[in-house]
Amino acid sequence: MTAPGRKQTLAFLSGNELAAHAASQINYHLMGYYPITPSTEVAEQLSRMKAQGQHTIAMVPADGEHSAAGICYGASTGGGRVLNVTSSQGLLYSLEQLPVQSGTRFPMVLNVAARAVNGPLNIRCDHSDLYFVLNAGWVILLAKDPQAVYDMNLLALRIGEHPKVRLPVMVAYDGFFTSHQKRRVWLLKDEAVRRFVGRPKPPLTALDPDHPVTIGPYMNDPDLINNKYQLKLAFDEAAKVIPALFAKFAALTGRRYQPVERYRMDDADVVLVLLNSAAETAKEAADRLRLKRRRVGVVNLTMLRPFPADALRAALRRAKAVVIADRADSYGAGGGNLSLEVRAALQGDTSHRVLCLSRIYGLGGKDFTVEDAEELSEQAFLALSHRTRVPSFDYLGHTPGVRPRKAAPPAAPPLAVDTVSRHHAQVVEDPANSGRLRVTLDPLWAMAPTPHRIAPGHGACPGCGAFTVLKQFFRILDGPVVVLYQTGCAMVVTTGYPATAHRVTYLHNLFQNGASTLSGLVEMYHERVRRGELPATEEPTFVMVSGDGGMDIGLGSALGTALRNARMILVEYDNEGYMNTGGQLSYATPQGHQTSTSPIGPQSRGKTFPHKDTPQLFAAANIPYVFTAVEGFPEDLMKKAAKAQWYAQREGFVYGKFLSSCPLNWLTPDDSVETVLQAAVDCCFFPLYEVERGKTVITYDPEALGRRRPMSEWFALMGKTKHLLAPDRRAFVESLEQETERRWRRLKAKHTHPEL
Amino acid sequence: MAGPVCLEVRFESIGGLGAHLAAQLLAEMFVLCQGLDASQFSSYGSEKKGTPVRSFIRVAETTAPIRVTSPVTQPHILAVFHEALLARRATLSGLRSDGVLIVNVPAASTPVLPNGRVVRLDAMAIAVEEKTRINTAMLGAVAKACPLIDADVLAETLEHHFGRRSPALAASNVKTFWRGYRESVERIVTDGPAAPGPEAALTPPRWGYRTAALGGAILEPGGTVANDHSASRQGFAPRLDRTRCTHCGVCDLVCPDYCLAWTREGDSTRLLGIDYQYCKGCLRCVESCPSGALTTEREGPWVREARVPLWPKETV
């Protein structure tokens, strides 16, 4: 138990808040980051604190985790202190950066809020992401509760920067169970933190022109093996440095950590070995079982790399049976990574044979209860009694399902293609207009009864602007449709297992390669048709749906697919932020707008750089058709949808952007969507146009119609931009008007000039 | 109950009603103002309005650490933020026989309530009148029902929290809190069913490792039609007056919940009505209707009668 006092402050905070708090007190030079649940809050909290002037960390929002890791690496070569936080897919996306960070010996601190890795997608806690980085050459510390997250963040810096270590350090804690659970904790005062972490003393830096260095050469054999042996020696040192620092930390705070923590181990017959929050739960079970005269103990590790084999052997010296429970499996290896390493360590104790059971629990955030921990112990006692055969390796908590497979749950009746294809749009090539397309639409009322390709019952927020644009767009498409949704709001709320809202075939893959993925399917389709394996009857239209978030992290793959001119449509619902993860800025967020990572405060005034012009990026790829649309102009949107399908089926890649309302994060009433979108269009911020076979046509010109309005009228409608109405922001708003005007004038020039 | 824990609290709610914030403020007060230890967390689907939210608090003496991180299965205090949630067995599961149930129900409602201490409060009516949210009213009712809570200190905590935004917000929320405190009515129910045991929350998954389609694929399109989102509405619903409807189709363009029922009659189309099972009450249809056929009404028993199911009963 923490001794109260010792000049520490009492607080009630979660693991994420504490990671942010430690970072703020340390005052890192820089954080390069990308939002991902459940670690996003750390960046949001730090953005908020910076806006209030509590620290001066340079917060750099990257376009994806691979880039974020690169930003961190580059910054770390400059001799300052660097921090990042990520989880799951983010950790995996940045994976190739990690061994470079350690192999070229640049310390930094990375918090990992452990979360399950995809396939299928799950945002809750397990350790599958953590186990991917065991070989990355980083020191890995484990924080079992919010207090430990704070403490390990302070220790991580000292360990990594130690002159005999010089390694990057991870602090891994459980997503949601630790990241989001608030606890009673003790914080050091700012001055005590500064004294403990001291100042960095890098042996070399990329920012000293008097001592130019080459960092990251091309290194062949026989040199690489020596570079790696240096890494091995660093880990030998770390194994000594860490316990010594734990002792120093105890003197400072009264909290003593051990590489291997023992609970009721003196006379334990059965021992549970687990990591992080589950170990705490197991201690409750040990207490309960002790009341029933079952001698159970618990062992928990605070460091995974270096692996504390000696301390582990010492702790397990008297155990008769050990249950090693992993919160991730190493499929095909007969146990999770922890259990394999523990068993290997126990091989080193030749004096004493221990019965080992490997178990897998808690995958995808499945709760690990006190009863579960008791069950594991009972299995070990059963194994010791020899009365029943207990499997050496098994899962806990899996369920077989009802046999035989019950009748499928109620669903929407099958959607016959001709029910949903009503030819509401007729498209002809117009020779009088250089072959560009002319579209005539059925009246809107005639379209109303046509069923949708998305069923009701999806979980979107009330008033969600993504579902209205998608319904208007898909209404016009004829024939079979295959969709791919990138990770984001629309994907999450329509495909919560075991129910899907989609009535057509739907794919989901990774956040940054949706376009490549769908284009792979498109190419497969054409090849299979060519081989006669699929009938060449009505060709499906392949449509990818992404938010603006997916067009940050997935831009590279999307442009590559556009350059290959794959025959598909990519539509983006741009709600000006990463809404699925709680409203962080995206590169499409307009300048000056408030988000959770571009907050408003004395030191921060919203997003600092102008929004990305994605339609122009795709137009530069010379694809057959590019368009912009909003739901408030349904005929315009639907005509563009008809053209999109025509071009995608015959000529190549189509890209379209909808400005899509998000009442929750734009801070607008649920029913004010059209007023807000109309203002965005009428102030020329979001022009409605198309680029068809290279020719730009503005399809709605508010200026020509005398309806152009100042941007401030748009800002007045949204809570996220109300701050821009203050008198002291007038000059800034004027600069925003100038940028909007600049882009609008260029668009008008392209519209007017025959060769632009 | 584990170790030093002396009180377990669970809030059952829906995203957007503020249960998570209420639980955070309550737990924070126990720790920072009443010298106790506490742990607090919530579990939900994703960062959306309208998804179920469950918030948990464990309160303990500071003598030993709180070690359990799994949900509270046997609460002493159970607060249900929306009447529709009472229909789910999991909502009331594990309520202790000596515990207390606090429910937000409209004054005219007659829900089936379990035996034991039950506190009723029309938190929505208070929130609508005070232009606040129901969470602070619910905290008032919880404070009255739970002797461990120092209501004055909790009111101060709310004042401090909302005061950071504006004094007016602080005042209205503190007023809402005390209204919740005073207007909540407790009685002992003896003629109801017993609350379900904790196992009622443990519904096994639909599919298992022997029956799930390979790789997690979903083979049944449109299964979400079985979902009921009516609890997402915050006291209001759109009402259709068919005599004024011109069947122009504009409402269908703007409904994100795909819940308008149409039919074709020869060459024309007709709007039959709304399937309220899916309507989340955004009221965009009302805003868009050019003929005033759709209006905003207070939620009430009329919704059940007015509902036009999109699929006949055999399918769903």
Side-chain angles (χ1 to χ4, degrees), chain A residues 313-332:
Chain A
R313 274 189 289 269
L316 296 174
R317 182 140 300 136
R318 286 199 199 85
K320 298 200 178 104
V322 177
V323 182
I324 311 131
D326 276 286
R327 206 161 200 155
D329 196 359
S330 180
Y331 306 99

Side-chain angles (χ1 to χ4, degrees), chain A residues 104-124:
Chain A
T104 57
R105 308 295 290 278
F106 287 99
M108 64 167 282
V109 174
L110 174 66
N111 280 273
V112 176
R115 160 185 147 176
V117 310
N118 278 16
L121 183 143
N122 174 295
I123 62 165
R124 306 219 192 282

Side-chain angles (χ1 to χ4, degrees), chain A residues 124 182 287 405 458 460 471, chain B residues 44 67 211 252 255-256 280:
Chain A
R124 306 219 192 282
K182 284 186 180 280
D287 285 350
R405 184 177 159 118
H458 62 72
K471 111 193 301 205
Chain B
Y44 21 22
R67 293 188 292 215
T211 55
D252 195 70
C255 171
K280 297 193 191 107

Side-chain angles (χ1 to χ4, degrees), chain A residues 97-168:
Chain A
Q97 181 67 70
L98 304 181
V100 178
Q101 190 91 35
S102 59
T104 57
R105 308 295 290 278
F106 287 99
M108 64 167 282
V109 174
L110 174 66
N111 280 273
V112 176
R115 160 185 147 176
V117 310
N118 278 16
L121 183 143
N122 174 295
I123 62 165
R124 306 219 192 282
C125 174
D126 70 31
H127 296 161
S128 49
D129 57 356
L130 180 60
Y131 286 1
F132 271 94
V133 301
L134 293 174
N135 290 350
W138 287 50
V139 170
I140 301 176
L141 303 177
L142 300 167
K144 64 181 167 137
D145 57 29
Q147 180 74 68
V149 174
Y150 178 75
D151 295 341
M152 290 300 167
N153 265 275
L154 303 179
L155 285 156
L157 209 54
R158 287 287 301 267
I159 293 165
E161 288 178 1
H162 192 284
K164 293 212 172 114
V165 177
R166 304 299 306 168
L167 287 171

